[in-house]
Amino acid sequence: MAKSALLKSSLAKKYWMALTGLFLCLFLSGHLAGNLQLIFSDALHFNQYALFMTSNPAVKILSYLTYVSILFHAVDGFMLTYQNIKARPIGYAKNSPASNSSFSSRNMAVLGTIILVFIVTHMVNFWAVMHFDKKMPLQSITVEVMGQKQDLYITTNGGYMPTTQVAKSYEEAMKTGAQTYIDHKTDFYNTQARVKVGEGYKDLHKITVAFFKDAKFGLIATILYVISMFVLAFHLLHGFSSAFQSLGINNKFTPTIKKFGAAFAIIVPLLFAIIPVYIHFFLK
């Protein structure tokens, strides 16, 4: 057995590769449950989910663990592939890979590379925008009062603030006379007392919908997302059951694990793929 590129102990490699893979499968399930709100719920519930995922201390710890798991899984996988190729520099005289192994198992490194590229671009387009973009919008709704439409910011305590009465900064509030201004991207402050009076929701729902419905690149983004989920399905087809095998779970439950793994590898990526397709073609 080849030793790990990151962990010298082959036993450590055996378990950590499997455990990080299974942990990422668990992450996929939770991430999917949240993202399905784009189809089955409204903008407020999705943005509440996004706020919870970025502010809850326990979730933050799990997020850091996810980042580490992705890096370990990717780097160690690449190095192991390299080591395996280096160990057999000369191919066999007669080699029939298709009859001895599945497409997924033979191309795990390639599939993993595509998935890693997808993860990076996905984080740039959504995670980075939500955390660092100064133009990240706050969620607002439009209501009709006495025949006139009015835009209102939604606050996390269930209140509302007219957007016309909220300045983008303290300096702007001092110039315009606005009673409230936005600070720290989401916090509403009273201009005179300079104390926090509320907090808004970052409108990740709006950003996501705009990304997949963009007139120029929305269709391309949707197609690439679907292709990436297709690749993920093949990666999971081999990876899920292989993780249990690496952990030494080869018993009467193995056939059940393989069937569950196959179902997981098909259903989870399929549901992920449906989301951008729904947004681009059907969401009004």
Side-chain angles (χ1 to χ4, degrees), residues 59-76:
V59 174
K60 283 187 176 181
I61 294 174
L62 288 175
S63 296
Y64 297 141
L65 182 58
T66 300
Y67 305 149
V68 172
S69 297
I70 291 173
L71 289 174
F72 180 92
H73 203 75
V75 175
D76 207 47

Side-chain angles (χ1 to χ4, degrees), residues 21-281:
L22 291 176
F23 175 78
L24 291 174
C25 287
L26 186 63
F27 162 77
L28 280 175
S29 301
H31 193 49
L32 174 62
N35 283 7
L36 283 174
Q37 294 185 68
L38 288 163
I39 296 178
F40 299 108
S41 190
D42 55 23
L44 178 58
H45 284 90
F46 180 76
N47 289 332
Q48 287 174 334
Y49 152 75
L51 177 61
F52 175 79
M53 293 297 291
T54 55
S55 61
N56 184 275
V59 174
K60 283 187 176 181
I61 294 174
L62 288 175
S63 296
Y64 297 141
L65 182 58
T66 300
Y67 305 149
V68 172
S69 297
I70 291 173
L71 289 174
F72 180 92
H73 203 75
V75 175
D76 207 47
F78 292 147
M79 294 304 296
L80 283 169
T81 300
Y82 172 75
Q83 289 175 357
N84 288 336
I85 294 174
K86 189 176 180 180
R88 285 201 305 263
I90 302 175
Y92 295 113
K94 292 184 179 180
N95 186 22
S96 180
S99 61
N100 299 322
S101 60
S102 66
F103 170 84
S104 299
S105 64
R106 297 194 308 272
N107 296 278
M108 288 296 281
V110 175
L111 297 172
T113 301
I114 296 174
I115 295 170
L116 182 60
V117 172
F118 166 78
I119 291 173
V120 172
T121 56
H122 188 71
M123 293 188 71
V124 168
N125 290 319
F126 300 104
W127 182 88
V129 170
M130 184 173 183
H131 283 79
F132 305 113
D133 193 340
K134 295 180 179 179
K135 296 181 180 179
M136 180 73 189
L138 297 181
Q139 185 179 359
S140 63
I141 59 171
T142 302
V143 298
E144 189 170 326
V145 180
M146 299 181 65
Q148 293 185 344
K149 291 184 178 181
Q150 186 177 22
D151 293 328
L152 305 171
Y153 286 122
I154 303 175
T155 63
T156 57
N157 61 0
Y160 301 92
M161 288 191 177
T163 60
T164 55
Q165 298 178 16
V166 180
K168 299 298 182 183
S169 65
Y170 175 73
E171 290 73 20
E172 182 181 323
M174 293 301 292
K175 292 179 181 179
T176 61
Q179 297 180 353
T180 311
Y181 66 95
I182 300 174
D183 198 6
H184 302 103
K185 299 181 181 179
T186 60
D187 296 337
F188 298 112
Y189 277 76
N190 178 273
T191 304
Q192 293 181 344
R194 300 197 71 171
V195 295
K196 184 177 176 178
V197 294
E199 183 178 357
Y201 290 103
K202 290 183 178 180
D203 202 347
L204 184 60
H205 185 279
K206 182 178 181 179
I207 294 296
T208 304
V209 171
F211 181 81
F212 288 113
K213 292 187 77 69
D214 183 79
K216 291 184 177 180
F217 304 106
L219 180 59
I220 296 175
T222 300
I223 293 173
L224 290 176
Y225 193 102
V226 171
I227 292 174
S228 298
M229 292 304 100
F230 187 75
V231 172
L232 176 62
F234 274 101
H235 192 74
L236 290 172
L237 274 173
H238 175 72
F240 191 93
S241 59
S242 178
F244 283 94
Q245 184 177 357
S246 296
L247 292 173
I249 304 177
N250 293 312
N251 50 36
K252 62 180 180 179
F253 296 110
T254 298
T256 302
I257 291 173
K258 288 185 177 181
K259 290 179 181 178
F260 180 83
F264 183 90
I266 295 172
I267 295 174
V268 171
L270 176 62
L271 290 177
F272 268 117
I274 288 174
I275 295 172
V277 172
Y278 170 80
I279 292 175
H280 183 81
F281 292 104

